[in-house]
Amino acid sequence: MQVPLGFQRIFSSFPLHSWPSAPESRKPPTEPTLWIHPSNHVDGLSGDVDCLKWQAYLALRGLKNIRVRTDVHPQGAIDHRLPNLHVEGDRLLPPHGIPAWVDEKLGKQKWEGYISEAAQDESRAWVSLLQGHVHAALIFAKHPPSLKETLLEMLSPFPSFTPPTANLQSTVVPMTGFLSLLPPIGIRVDAESINTEYAQAIQALSDRLSTDKWFLGSE
Amino acid sequence: MMASSTPLELFVWPGAWGLPSIDPLCLSAIIYLQLALPGQFTVIESVNPDVSPTGQFPFLKHGGRTFASFSAILEYISTLQNLDASLDTLQKSQQTAWLASAESDIGNLVSHMLFAIDANWNKLTHPAIVYDFPFPARYYSPQRIRESWKPRLESSGFWALPDIEQEDTDSKHSDDRKQKSKELKAQDRLWGVKPKDRFLRVFEREKITERAKSILDIFTRLLGDSTFFQSEQPSTLDVVVAGHILLLLIPPYPDPLLQDLLKKAYPSLVSHAERIHGQVKDASLPTSRITKRESVWSLLPNISDTDDAWLIRLRWAYLGLTIGGFAAYATSTFIRRR
């Protein structure tokens, strides 16, 4: 079945304009490059908690010559989340792949530098607390729910990628509810519980650190 | 001592498989109340978390007050009866961290088993809850609840690919193995799984097992040879860990990936969970269920009372958009007809 002549004439006028081909992709980096959210500060530290955490991790592990990129949108990152680490061999690592790469480079530290296995285990618990309750409060303070953003999302026919507020609690609770006939729109966040849990977490951190210089007796 | 004569009402997800709730935090809250205030509370089962101020279960009502997060519930109950009275400041601070780890890390394992593995969702979790939902919510709400876990499990690496059944290499009969192999190939064709993808999915299962081991190893070392985690009596940490482990241990999972791992390699955690469960399982548990008379209202967006100014503004904005849009459509139709 052929396309009718009238349609052929219309289609023949397309493309209306051809753009030049995109430049070739950059060569793989010669040095490891950490993709992070940008910051307003000139010191190169990211304004995002997760990115800043991994910048600190790489610095405290003693790694040098780590470049930083701030021009990558999260949608271009693995699982749409920054930071990512671009390393030799053109490999791109998600955040949970960074410690293994660092161990490859530097050799594995016994108990990751903690004074004992029990301290290393306890550090996992504190990391869970920080990445949960404290991180949620920081995101909430930085990205409070916006009436404009939620209304735009309600009206938009296209789903957006997971907003930062999706990490505020254990599950994503839609504003319209689970049982309503309306499709799930927006994210319902309870500010009071986030702030209460944050206060408890900070109190616990303070009690645990007490008069020590570093957590868990580290040097 | 009870601060009010009105009973405590704990709203939770319904129970199944011999457990009073299918949610680990709800189960932990029930066990905590059974240890702290036995016989002084009522469990109210519901499948409508929209009635909660946070949109999640559990939440507690007592004396006109509502406590809507798990930590808020524990904090309030501890003012009535404190399971952690014997802990010192250091232990309490450590407990805060360990509780966060149990809820987050072991919680990921439980959620992976209940929601992420297709065989478990289709044959266990979904059938356990779907008929509790009113019509027509039963056709979309369970899937929405499953999807609500996806961001957390994806970010932690526990949102798995569709499960694949392992070939039964223990079978001594070659006919059984051939039959099983045929079934697996039929399943792959149904799911569009290519042979190389099947290999990748086996690899994914191994990765998840390794990550589960690293989490369970930590709690095993923490428990050591002790009866309870932090003292001679069960503390909040014992209750929360047991609540999560019981939901890995007891449900009859069609795909028992992490259940088998737990039973084979972590007998101390299994014994600990059974010990805590044994202290409460024979106690009477007054339970009621929210009736389906609420079913019509539950189909509308949640309009329960709230002090959240942000939520109130959003509702008015949504209502305004709806009425404004309808008015604009009606006006334009009227003008065109004239």
Side-chain angles (χ1 to χ4, degrees):
Chain A
M1 185 176 165
Q2 285 192 338
V3 177
L5 200 58
F7 282 113
Q8 283 185 20
R9 284 202 202 104
I10 294 171
F11 292 156
S12 66
S13 58
F14 291 94
L16 296 175
H17 176 76
S18 291
W19 294 98
S21 56
E24 286 185 7
S25 60
R26 298 184 191 194
K27 292 179 184 171
T30 52
E31 291 168 326
T33 306
L34 189 68
W35 298 359
I36 60 172
H37 284 282
S39 154
N40 294 331
H41 304 297
V42 296
D43 53 10
L45 296 177
S46 174
D48 174 73
V49 171
D50 272 330
C51 297
L52 183 61
K53 178 183 82 176
W54 287 108
Q55 278 187 290
Y57 176 82
L58 292 170
L60 288 170
R61 285 296 300 267
L63 281 164
K64 300 189 187 331
N65 300 324
I66 305 283
R67 297 170 67 87
V68 159
R69 268 183 80 173
T70 57
D71 60 338
V72 181
H73 194 277
Q75 284 186 312
I78 297 175
D79 294 331
H80 306 305
R81 284 183 176 88
L82 290 173
N84 284 176
L85 185 65
H86 196 184
V87 298
E88 61 278 351
D90 209 19
R91 284 185 299 153
L92 190 63
L93 304 175
H96 58 80
I98 294 176
W101 177 80
V102 173
D103 287 342
E104 265 179 42
K105 282 283 184 196
L106 302 179
K108 206 164 181 175
Q109 288 177 310
K110 192 177 184 187
W111 300 321
E112 296 179 357
Y114 292 101
I115 55 171
S116 66
E117 189 177 40
Q120 182 188 20
D121 289 346
E122 191 181 333
S123 73
R124 295 277 190 273
W126 288 106
V127 167
S128 294
L129 183 73
L130 286 161
Q131 288 182 327
H133 302 325
V134 177
H135 193 188
L138 287 170
I139 290 180
F140 187 70
K142 199 171 176 197
H143 298 281
S146 156
L147 183 63
K148 177 184 163 189
E149 279 175 10
T150 305
L151 286 175
L152 285 174
E153 191 183 338
M154 281 180 185
L155 297 171
S156 169
F158 303 109
S160 58
F161 72 99
T162 309
T165 42
N167 296 320
L168 289 179
Q169 47 207 17
S170 60
T171 59
V172 176
V173 181
M175 186 72 72
T176 45
F178 287 111
L179 268 72
S180 79
L181 288 168
L182 294 172
I185 297 172
I187 295 175
R188 189 168 165 187
V189 173
D190 183 49
E192 191 181 334
S193 64
I194 288 173
N195 292 331
T196 304
E197 286 169 352
Y198 170 73
Q200 290 173 352
I202 291 299
Q203 181 66 52
L205 280 162
S206 173
D207 290 340
R208 186 64 181 93
L209 182 61
S210 187
T211 54
D212 295 340
K213 185 179 179 187
W214 304 109
F215 272 103
L216 306 171
S218 304
E219 295 178 347
Chain B
M1 298 289 288
M2 295 280 282
S4 164
S5 59
T6 55
L8 288 153
E9 292 181 326
L10 183 69
F11 290 74
V12 298
W13 285 102
W17 321 305
L19 292 169
S21 179
I22 62 167
D23 177 81
L25 290 182
C26 294
L27 180 59
S28 301
I30 292 171
I31 296 174
Y32 189 91
L33 278 166
Q34 283 180 303
L35 288 173
L37 299 169
Q40 298 179 46
F41 66 100
T42 302
V43 169
I44 300 180
E45 295 181 344
S46 172
V47 291
N48 186 9
D50 302 337
V51 300
S52 164
T54 57
Q56 294 176 307
F57 289 135
F59 75 97
L60 183 79
K61 281 188 176 177
H62 185 224
R65 297 170 67 188
T66 302
F67 305 92
S69 67
F70 182 65
S71 54
I73 293 172
L74 295 183
E75 195 175 349
Y76 177 66
I77 299 299
S78 67
T79 63
L80 305 175
Q81 181 65 34
N82 191 0
L83 288 187
D84 303 326
S86 61
L87 301 183
D88 58 30
T89 306
L90 174 63
Q91 286 176 310
K92 282 182 187 165
S93 68
Q94 289 173 319
Q95 186 189 76
T96 305
W98 284 116
L99 285 174
S101 178
E103 286 178 45
S104 159
D105 299 331
I106 311 183
N108 284 342
L109 304 185
V110 176
S111 306
H112 173 76
M113 291 294 285
L114 289 174
F115 298 108
I117 297 182
D118 280 351
N120 293 342
W121 169 255
N122 292 327
K123 296 176 189 170
L124 185 77
T125 316
H126 184 265
I129 61 175
V130 64
Y131 295 108
D132 291 329
F133 286 91
F135 178 85
R138 65 180 57 162
Y139 297 106
Y140 52 82
S141 293
Q143 190 59 32
R144 283 182 188 174
I145 288 165
R146 188 188 190 198
E147 288 294 320
S148 72
W149 285 95
K150 195 173 174 186
R152 167 179 164 173
L153 293 178
E154 271 184 338
S155 67
S156 57
F158 280 100
W159 186 260
L161 296 168
D163 63 295
I164 55 171
E165 293 176 30
Q166 299 298 307
E167 292 197 36
D168 181 10
T169 54
D170 292 335
S171 173
K172 293 179 182 169
H173 301 286
S174 62
D175 290 341
D176 288 346
R177 285 202 295 273
K178 282 180 188 170
Q179 179 62 26
K180 193 71 177 173
S181 178
K182 280 185 191 171
E183 286 170 8
L184 287 169
K185 285 178 182 169
Q187 187 182 78
D188 288 349
R189 277 196 299 273
L190 180 66
W191 286 342
V193 177
K194 296 174 187 169
K196 70 176 178 68
D197 290 342
R198 191 164 185 278
F199 170 76
L200 287 173
R201 289 171 189 195
V202 171
F203 184 62
E204 283 293 331
R205 288 170 66 88
E206 291 299 319
K207 272 172 49 177
I208 285 175
T209 306
E210 287 305 311
R211 297 188 63 198
K213 281 182 190 170
S214 66
I215 292 167
L216 296 172
D217 282 344
I218 289 175
F219 283 90
T220 303
R221 286 193 290 267
L222 182 66
L223 183 61
D225 297 324
S226 307
T227 308
F228 302 112
F229 280 105
Q230 290 184 291
S231 67
E232 301 301 316
Q233 302 293 329
S235 65
T236 306
L237 181 59
D238 294 286
V239 168
V240 171
V241 172
H244 286 72
I245 295 293
L246 287 169
L247 276 166
L248 286 174
L249 196 60
I250 291 180
Y253 291 109
D255 184 348
L257 175 66
L258 299 182
Q259 187 178 64
D260 287 345
L261 170 69
L262 183 68
K263 286 178 179 174
K264 284 179 192 165
Y266 299 96
S268 61
L269 290 180
V270 171
S271 303
H272 172 268
E274 288 173 344
R275 198 176 304 128
I276 297 290
H277 192 217
Q279 291 196 11
V280 301
K281 70 176 178 180
D282 293 327
S284 69
L285 189 62
T287 305
S288 67
R289 190 167 279 216
I290 288 184
T291 66
K292 292 189 180 173
R293 282 181 299 173
E294 291 183 296
S295 64
V296 173
W297 296 110
S298 68
L299 299 179
L300 299 174
N302 182 27
I303 52 172
S304 61
D305 290 337
T306 180
D307 295 328
D308 191 335
W310 148 251
L311 194 58
I312 293 169
R313 280 203 301 271
L314 190 61
R315 283 186 195 150
W316 283 113
Y318 186 75
L319 194 61
L321 278 173
T322 308
I323 294 172
F326 179 74
Y329 173 75
T331 306
S332 68
T333 307
F334 178 72
I335 290 170
R336 268 190 274 125
R337 283 191 183 170
R338 289 194 67 182

